[in-house]
Amino acid sequence: MANQADVYQHFRKSEAPFVAQVLDWIEQAQTEYRPILTAFLDPRQAFILQMLVGEKGDIRYHFNGGYNAAERKRAIIAPEYFIPTETDFEIQLFEIRYPVKFVELSHGKVLGTLVNAGIDRDVFGDIMTDEARWQFFVTKKMASYVEEQITKIGRVTVHLEVRDYPQLVTPKDAWQFEQTTVSSFRLDTIIATVYKLSRQRAKELIQANKVKLNWQAFDKPDFELALLDIVSVRGFGRIQLQSIDGQTRKEKYRVTLGILRK
């Protein structure tokens, strides 16, 4: 890991508090010589953690989000001797029981219910569905609280039931990976390129609060995306900047994007 004074210049100013948190975790793992378990991290946060831990010989990182393809994962930063098991990540799977014939749930409704119940976003992981059943992960420490609080989604009475990994649904959403070229990493440019919109239309969607960046409402069209950022566009789907693969002769960027289309 680089000298701490130089570390912050590699990340956005808005990411400075998280960078400081990761540096604290690393120091704890080193000085107390014990594993440090984080809350759920989004892909960009997980990338930052990987960059900061780096190739240090005495400290390692491990990720687990409840299943292999999870987007949101908990991390363990630990001395090199420590090999975590699944139980060390303290993740609980819940299934939402609801009147399937009369109600249609959505990712937004489930997420909104959890957030509106005063539950921090980093307490729960992926929300998954196979179009009939809905499940989500939470930290075990908060599982009882979540189970008590979530009794309705909208006006519908629901019940949360504990599930084990073998009972995990197979999520219907699957990322498609596409290679393309973009003139810049501006948010409006990426959205316009993926969904074949004018940049003005993409800008309008962003300014109308129909776009989220890493699950947070976002309204700056000229903001530049970085590796593993996830963009959600209401009514269109989601985009993730997977990799930057070089430049063309016309100075456009070759990129690989993960795309979910609605």
Side-chain angles (χ1 to χ4, degrees):
M1 188 172 63
N3 185 291
Q4 285 199 20
D6 302 325
V7 165
Y8 290 90
Q9 69 183 8
H10 298 294
F11 304 100
R12 299 166 176 148
K13 286 183 180 178
S14 61
E15 292 170 336
F18 181 71
V19 170
Q21 176 69 82
V22 175
L23 294 175
D24 283 346
W25 288 332
I26 293 170
E27 186 177 357
Q28 271 186 282
Q30 287 175 321
T31 59
E32 299 172 20
Y33 213 59
R34 66 179 179 89
I36 304 298
L37 176 63
T38 76
F40 280 100
L41 309 177
D42 66 41
R44 175 65 184 172
Q45 290 172 323
F47 173 72
I48 292 171
L49 186 148
Q50 286 178 281
M51 293 284 287
L52 291 172
V53 175
E55 301 298 322
K56 293 187 71 63
D58 57 339
I59 296 293
R60 298 279 190 272
Y61 58 80
H62 311 267
F63 292 109
N64 191 315
Y67 68 114
N68 287 340
E71 286 180 17
R72 298 179 62 79
K73 299 175 182 178
R74 301 191 79 175
I76 288 177
I77 302 171
E80 58 182 334
Y81 73 84
F82 183 80
I83 308 298
T85 64
E86 277 196 21
T87 56
D88 290 318
F89 288 92
E90 299 179 15
I91 295 171
Q92 180 63 65
L93 175 65
F94 278 123
E95 181 158 345
I96 303 169
R97 305 299 291 175
Y98 69 103
V100 179
K101 290 184 179 179
F102 306 107
V103 180
E104 189 172 315
L105 295 185
S106 68
H107 188 280
K109 285 180 183 176
V110 176
L111 179 58
T113 299
L114 290 164
V115 171
N116 291 335
I119 301 164
D120 290 340
R121 185 64 182 98
D122 62 5
V123 166
F124 52 96
D126 283 13
I127 299 168
M128 303 146 297
T129 183
D130 60 4
E131 296 190 309
R133 298 163 62 199
W134 285 83
Q135 298 177 340
F136 63 92
F137 292 104
V138 298
T139 63
K140 281 203 171 170
K141 187 177 287 186
M142 289 292 288
S144 295
Y145 178 80
V146 171
E147 192 172 9
E148 290 170 8
Q149 291 294 310
I150 306 303
T151 57
K152 285 183 176 290
I153 294 181
R155 297 180 181 177
V156 180
T157 298
V158 301
H159 176 65
L160 300 186
E161 293 185 356
V162 171
R163 291 286 183 262
D164 295 320
Y165 179 80
Q167 297 166 300
L168 183 70
V169 299
T170 302
K172 71 178 181 68
D173 290 335
W175 288 96
Q176 294 181 331
F177 298 102
E178 300 180 13
Q179 292 182 313
T180 188
T181 58
V182 293
S183 57
S184 77
F185 297 111
R186 283 176 54 121
L187 184 58
D188 54 1
T189 298
I190 298 290
I191 291 172
T193 300
V194 170
Y195 297 117
K196 295 180 169 53
L197 306 171
S198 69
R199 212 166 91 185
Q200 180 59 32
R201 174 64 178 138
K203 186 176 180 179
E204 289 168 0
L205 288 169
I206 297 163
Q207 293 176 332
N209 294 317
K210 293 186 177 179
V211 172
K212 290 185 176 181
L213 176 66
N214 296 327
W215 293 274
Q216 302 294 323
F218 204 79
D219 62 358
K220 296 178 181 175
D222 61 348
F223 187 81
E224 292 217 345
L225 296 186
L227 282 176
L228 301 183
D229 276 335
I230 288 187
V231 177
S232 305
V233 186
R234 193 187 309 167
F236 289 85
R238 287 192 287 165
I239 306 164
Q240 183 177 47
L241 180 56
Q242 285 278 321
S243 65
I244 301 168
D245 308 320
Q247 280 187 285
T248 68
R249 289 181 180 176
K250 295 182 179 180
E251 297 190 343
K252 286 193 171 187
Y253 298 95
R254 293 191 188 91
V255 294
T256 301
L257 302 173
I259 301 173
L260 282 174
R261 288 188 169 86
K262 287 198 172 179

